[in-house]
Amino acid sequence: MRILSIVLIILAFFGCHTKKPTAAAAPLPPLVEVSAAKVQTIPIFVPAFGHFVAYNSVEIKSQVEGALTQIHYTEGAMILEGEPVVTIDPRPYQAKLDLAVAERLQNVAQLNFAKEKVERYAGLVSDSYVSLLNFHEYQTQVASLTAEVEKNDSQIRLAEINLGYCYIRAPFSGLCGKKKVDIGNLITNNGDTLVTIKQLDPIYIDFSIPERDFFRLMQYQSTKDLTVNLHFPDYPDCDFIAELIVVNNEISSSTGMIPLRAIVKNPDRLFWPGQFIRTELILTKKPETVMVPISAMNSGQKGRYALVINDKGIAEMRMCEFGEILGDTIEVVSGISGGEKVVTNGQINVMPGKPVRIKGASQ
């Protein structure tokens, strides 16, 4: 009986000090990152990849045979138009020129004598002091020697041309490449290249765009000159603008691409032939365009949408039509106005019609 009384007392004690359960705390709204939709003018462009091509490029080759006696250029250095590049031993060609000049002098002397003979005997033919046959022979000799002098003139011109070929000069100002033949080597006119010269300012950019963009290209090019933005993948802050100058006269049937060519100034030689470049052919510019980060675009069963946070911090689902992509942003054709806040991160936890917490905003 005593034990029962003690148990009842202990139970009554703990029963009086047991806390009542409290109600569970309401869950916090999901935390999201937002960005304001911006209204701006955007370029409408066709992206492509291309490479630089020298404005002028020449492989210096010999047109005569002989020993290479002098190299006037410096590898990797600039050479101006008209400056000597190399010299091939001119002595054999100078001798041929001298020989042609001497033969002409000989033939001119004989021609003058033949002309005097014709003039002297012309008055004697009628008196039969000189036969008509002999007089015709004198006249024929004059004509023959006249032809020989003209032939000598041609030989002299040819010899002068070949002698000039011994002194090879730069056809334009440009940058010399690596030396391919050393002094003392026998040069033949079989097409071997002595050195390459390339003009780098200005410089071309060759690239191609898909056939599907052909009509848009023609449409915009008919109204204005088009430009090309140049981007280096490894140097995103280095952007340059080139001018489109050539649309090739056919579309490649094997690739379905249209070869294009642009030109850009290159005074500091930042661009090099063969160098890879990313291009954007600017067709036009579109003003008053609503742009949002690409991360704000979502896809659902009804189509693409974005989550917009209104002034009360409530999430709204907006079905949107998206358009052009520019970098990490995308055009909103309809569904969102400039200045509205769109969710860019944390969409998975957001329920339309429910409040959210905006990261970085005072709650």
Side-chain angles (χ1 to χ4, degrees), residues 17-23:
H17 290 80
T18 301
K19 294 182 179 180
K20 296 181 179 180
T22 57

Side-chain angles (χ1 to χ4, degrees), residues 227-255:
T227 59
V228 181
N229 288 346
L230 308 178
H231 304 287
F232 290 93
D234 296 331
Y235 303 95
D237 296 331
C238 298
D239 293 336
F240 301 87
I241 299 177
E243 178 186 356
L244 181 70
I245 58 172
V246 175
V247 178
N248 199 34
N249 56 7
E250 68 173 341
I251 299 172
S252 172
S253 59
S254 59
T255 64

Side-chain angles (χ1 to χ4, degrees), residues 129-155:
Y129 288 106
V130 176
S131 68
L132 187 61
L133 177 61
N134 289 339
F135 185 73
H136 285 166
E137 288 180 353
Y138 300 151
Q139 289 179 318
T140 301
Q141 188 177 15
V142 170
S144 176
L145 288 172
T146 300
E148 284 295 325
V149 172
E150 292 179 354
K151 179 180 177 181
N152 293 147
D153 290 337
S154 298
Q155 290 172 336

Side-chain angles (χ1 to χ4, degrees), residues 73-143:
Y73 66 91
T74 301
E75 293 177 284
M78 285 292 297
I79 189 170
L80 299 180
E81 181 180 352
E83 288 186 340
V85 181
V86 297
T87 298
I88 295 169
D89 188 1
R91 293 175 298 175
Y93 300 97
Q94 182 65 56
K96 289 182 179 180
L97 175 60
D98 295 340
L99 178 61
V101 170
E103 289 179 349
R104 184 183 189 278
L105 291 174
Q106 181 181 10
N107 288 327
V108 167
Q110 293 178 354
L111 175 62
N112 291 335
F113 178 73
K115 287 180 177 178
E116 291 177 1
K117 185 184 294 187
V118 169
E119 291 175 359
R120 186 181 308 117
Y121 293 145
L124 302 177
V125 173
S126 58
D127 297 332
S128 299
Y129 288 106
V130 176
S131 68
L132 187 61
L133 177 61
N134 289 339
F135 185 73
H136 285 166
E137 288 180 353
Y138 300 151
Q139 289 179 318
T140 301
Q141 188 177 15
V142 170

